[in-house]
Amino acid sequence: MSLSESFDTIVSTRRAVRKFHETDYNPDAVTQSLRRAQLAPSSSNMQLWEFYRVSKSEDLAELSTICMGQNTTATAKEAIVVVARPDLWRKRADANQENVKRVHGDRPGFRGQSALAYYGNLVPKLYNNDFLGIRGLIKKIYVTYVGWKKPMVREVTGGDIRIVVHKSAALAAQTFMLSMVAEGHDTCPVEGFDSVRLKRFLNLPAKAEVNMVITCGKRIPEGIYGERFRVPASEVVFNK
Ligand SMILES: Cc1cc2nc3c(=O)[nH]c(=O)nc-3n(C[C@H](O)[C@H](O)[C@H](O)COP(=O)(O)O)c2cc1C
């Protein structure tokens, strides 16, 4: 099978599974898939995500209650909670800077210096936002002004950065779900949960945000709720 055929099989096999097999399950599939999820691209390579494995039966029961007792959480053999951590930006920027120093050595050339400046100056300007949003407002006025004359990134407020971080977390989540199929397992992405209770359950700090819960297991036939439906490509794919 060609790579493209394999990928087609993986993408078409992945379904949102709402009922899992009671016993057939291998947690190694999750271990492998979490390893692959961490290879997903992330904005500025900041990797502002975390993955919490929930596998004890009493924890799964509590998680299911937090997810309003949905079938997929009630029957899951394990669940991954994907968490966005915009608050860890400084730590991750430092890690990237250390990596640049490791790669480029004591005398970084132009590319190394640009990367150091990127993580040392630009990233803090973007990610360092105050509670009241005053810095974000000033940045917005600035980019609007500069943007009159030349192309400019407009997403600079604290709210914009939350979206940036969630986007990257969701890419890791999708990488995880496709990998689970490659490992002969199934998943369902879940955003129907009580985020306040879920953060308390995982002991997360105030600024962490749950991106999604992913239930894991192996499907049983009743776990697929009908044929796949997608709106026609003509409604979503456009040629400019
Ligand atoms: C971000 C996100 C949140 C979702 N939340 C839930 C959920 O809370 N419960 C659920 O049963 N399915 C949930 N789904 C699954 C979707 O309903 C499902 O992906 C969609 O109907 C398409 O079906 P398919 O994944 O089998 O192709 C969610 C999907 C995504 C991407």
Side-chain angles (χ1 to χ4, degrees):
M1 211 191 259
S2 70
L3 261 183
S4 122
E5 285 167 338
S6 304
F7 190 62
D8 218 21
T9 306
I10 290 171
V11 172
S12 50
T13 304
R14 188 210 59 76
R15 292 297 312 273
V17 170
R18 274 55 179 251
K19 286 184 186 168
F20 296 101
H21 195 280
E22 270 188 40
T23 52
D24 192 6
Y25 177 64
N26 183 356
D28 292 346
V30 169
T31 307
Q32 289 301 333
S33 301
L34 285 175
R35 179 180 62 74
R36 292 176 187 136
Q38 290 168 71
L39 298 179
S42 64
S43 185
S44 301
N45 200 19
M46 294 275 275
Q47 303 156 60
L48 292 167
W49 53 43
E50 287 175 341
F51 311 93
Y52 290 81
R53 293 183 75 155
V54 181
S55 52
K56 286 191 212 122
S57 58
E58 63 271 24
D59 287 340
L60 282 168
E62 194 173 340
L63 177 65
S64 185
T65 306
I66 292 169
C67 297
M68 276 75 77
Q70 299 191 44
N71 277 336
T72 191
T73 52
T75 60
K77 303 307 293 172
E78 181 163 356
I80 302 303
V81 185
V82 182
V83 174
R85 292 296 305 264
D87 53 319
L88 294 183
W89 66 267
R90 200 180 290 277
K91 194 175 168 197
R92 297 290 198 270
D94 287 350
N96 272 285
Q97 274 204 320
E98 285 311 309
N99 184 52
V100 173
K101 287 179 194 159
R102 185 185 61 77
V103 171
H104 292 270
D106 288 343
R107 293 175 165 214
F110 175 72
R111 189 171 285 181
Q113 280 180 3
S114 307
L116 289 173
Y118 184 83
Y119 288 109
N121 298 330
L122 189 62
V123 164
K125 280 197 182 84
L126 274 175
Y127 280 77
N128 197 4
N129 288 294
D130 56 306
F131 177 70
L132 292 174
I134 294 166
R135 249 177 253 158
L137 189 64
I138 293 168
K139 285 187 282 182
K140 200 81 177 175
I141 293 167
Y142 174 74
V143 298
T144 306
Y145 172 71
V146 176
W148 265 330
K149 297 178 187 143
K150 60 176 187 178
M152 187 70 191
V153 170
R154 312 289 179 130
E155 287 69 32
V156 290
T157 67
D160 295 335
I161 291 299
R162 287 185 53 231
I163 294 173
V164 166
V165 177
H166 276 277
K167 261 192 254 179
S168 296
L171 292 178
Q174 175 70 345
T175 304
F176 174 83
M177 291 189 281
L178 293 177
S179 167
M180 285 292 278
V181 175
E183 295 293 329
H185 282 65
D186 293 292
T187 57
C188 183
V190 172
E191 64 186 350
F193 51 75
D194 179 329
S195 59
V196 173
R197 285 187 165 80
L198 187 45
K199 281 175 69 172
R200 208 181 299 143
F201 171 67
L202 293 174
N203 262 322
L204 294 174
K207 287 182 177 165
E209 297 183 16
V210 178
N211 176 258
M212 71 180 84
V213 174
I214 304 175
T215 53
C216 306
K218 280 195 183 186
R219 71 181 71 180
I220 53 175
E222 315 88 90
I224 305 287
Y225 289 179
E227 264 179 44
R228 204 169 220 177
F229 164 72
R230 291 294 187 266
V231 295
S234 58
E235 288 191 28
V236 292
V237 181
F238 304 99
N239 291 316
K240 176 160 159 25

